[in-house]
Amino acid sequence: MSENMAHNQPGASVRERPDGEGERPPAGRRGDDRPGSRGRTTIADGVVEKIAGLAARDVIGVHAMGGTMARTFGAVRERVPGSSRSASQGVKVEVGETQTAIDLDIVIDYGVAIADVAGTVREYVISAVERMTGLEVVEVNITVSDVKLPDEEDDDTQSQLR
């Protein structure tokens, strides 16, 4: 086949060989793009929120996620038949194409070193989100909204007693 014929065929392209002869790429391929790199993957904010929330809850010393109002609404929501605890409670994220920023609102158990727990939470969250999504976590901001004292009842317990 001559170079002119190759240029006239739709979708055909010609690569020059060192000897000057034209060569068509293998059928079904154009250049070096692999099937896994064709197209775009978008990760929803809710996905990152769930991953971050579950990772933060795994840290010893984190009693709960969310401020007082969020925990109260969460306790009410859990009483509705068929509903479950929200994995994203106390988590807000901003997700871009390649990066994400995460804000966490946590309740700490009394007696733990807050700075140590916060540092561990950051490590867990960054590791989980980057590993599972491929997004770069640019920051994890943590607000400690409360301390759970040993003699206090859980919000969940209070809602179940009523």
Side-chain angles (χ1 to χ4, degrees):
M1 171 172 11
S2 74
E3 284 185 7
N4 287 341
M5 288 178 60
H7 284 296
N8 292 334
Q9 290 183 348
S13 63
V14 174
R15 290 185 294 191
E16 288 294 323
R17 293 191 327 212
D19 62 5
E21 293 293 319
E23 176 185 318
R24 258 183 97 168
R29 292 197 62 198
R30 295 181 187 200
D32 291 333
D33 56 338
R34 295 166 290 153
S37 65
R38 296 179 194 168
R40 197 170 114 167
T41 302
T42 303
I43 300 172
D45 292 4
V47 172
V48 177
E49 287 174 350
K50 285 181 180 181
I51 294 168
L54 291 171
R57 283 177 178 80
D58 282 345
V59 176
I60 295 172
V62 174
H63 179 75
M65 300 288 295
T68 305
M69 289 301 289
R71 292 193 321 272
T72 301
F73 285 127
V76 170
R77 184 176 49 244
E78 287 176 27
R79 295 185 71 171
V80 175
S83 68
S84 62
R85 170 170 274 179
S86 172
S88 60
Q89 181 175 303
V91 183
K92 289 187 175 67
V93 301
E94 290 181 29
V95 178
E97 287 187 27
T98 60
Q99 297 178 324
T100 185
I102 302 169
D103 294 329
L104 302 173
D105 194 354
I106 64 176
V107 177
I108 298 284
D109 288 322
Y110 176 80
V112 299
I114 293 173
D116 292 345
V117 171
T120 304
V121 166
R122 277 190 186 88
E123 289 175 21
Y124 275 46
V125 168
I126 290 169
S127 175
V129 171
E130 287 184 346
R131 179 177 45 84
M132 293 179 72
T133 67
L135 295 169
E136 177 191 3
V137 178
V138 294
E139 64 182 5
V140 176
N141 300 310
I142 299 173
T143 300
V144 178
S145 61
D146 202 358
V147 174
K148 166 65 171 73
L149 300 175
D151 59 340
E152 285 181 330
E153 290 185 21
D154 286 342
D155 289 337
D156 296 340
T157 306
Q158 289 176 355
S159 66
Q160 291 171 357
L161 292 176
R162 292 184 185 151

